[in-house]
Amino acid sequence: MTDVQVENLVVSFCLPSAVDLPALAGIMADAKYNPEELPAIVIQLSKPRCMVTVFATGNTVITGPKSMEDVDSIVKMVLDRLTVVGMQVQQPPTVVVQNVTVSTHLHRPLDLSFLATSLHTEPFDPASFPGLVYRGENPNTVLLLFDSGKIICNSGSLSEATVAVEKVVEKLVTFGIRKEEDVCRK
């Protein structure tokens, strides 16, 4: 089994009512509101590091957490802040995972030109992008392979992303590319 590390989650939930963005921005000191740029309030949190975007419809998007535990704590923080400023919110809202980014590292260099031909990928042009874009069997996943041996996968769920990474690593093994196991000894 290939070890994958969650790099980023994007989740969303809906508040039970519409949000008066100008009024909320005036009350919440850390809320940024610039309606000419984005019709939403943006809140940057440092622990856990993430960005919360609240739209007038009540739709809320959280970008940046690395675990569902972080998501739960961020949702609680957001709901607590909204309650403090007088908004009535139901707890807990239904949180939907929109996007997951995971990574793994083979700890060995990859010949991306060779892999582009072998994997029948989109044309590889290192001058425009340093990674090889590979779309696996699942149309909902996109993998990026880098010459350093790092692999990044973007998908709609953690299970899809993990399966996609495992499958591409299995394909790499068929080309004689294996993950280097004892990287600490070197």
Side-chain angles (χ1 to χ4, degrees), residues 15-67:
L15 297 170
S17 62
V19 178
D20 182 351
L21 296 178
L24 192 58
I27 298 170
M28 295 179 77
D30 59 351
K32 292 182 176 61
Y33 180 55
N34 186 349
E36 293 81 31
E37 274 187 36
L38 180 69
I41 288 177
V42 176
I43 305 165
Q44 298 278 349
L45 299 176
S46 58
K47 288 190 180 177
R49 188 171 172 241
C50 71
M51 179 176 74
V52 179
T53 309
V54 181
F55 294 89
T57 59
N59 287 337
T60 305
V61 178
I62 301 172
T63 306
K66 294 181 183 272
S67 71

Side-chain angles (χ1 to χ4, degrees), residues 105 108-112 124 130-132 145-150:
H105 207 298
R108 64 174 304 143
L110 296 176
D111 180 348
L112 299 182
F124 172 58
L132 175 66
L145 288 78
F146 294 93
D147 61 1
S148 66
K150 186 158 190 169

Side-chain angles (χ1 to χ4, degrees), residues 134-143 153-165 167-168 171:
Y134 177 66
R135 297 182 192 281
E137 294 145 22
N138 182 340
N140 297 324
T141 60
V142 176
L143 293 111
C153 181
N154 198 342
S155 185
S157 74
L158 181 56
S159 60
E160 283 181 356
T162 303
V163 167
V165 168
K167 284 185 177 182
V168 78
K171 282 189 179 203

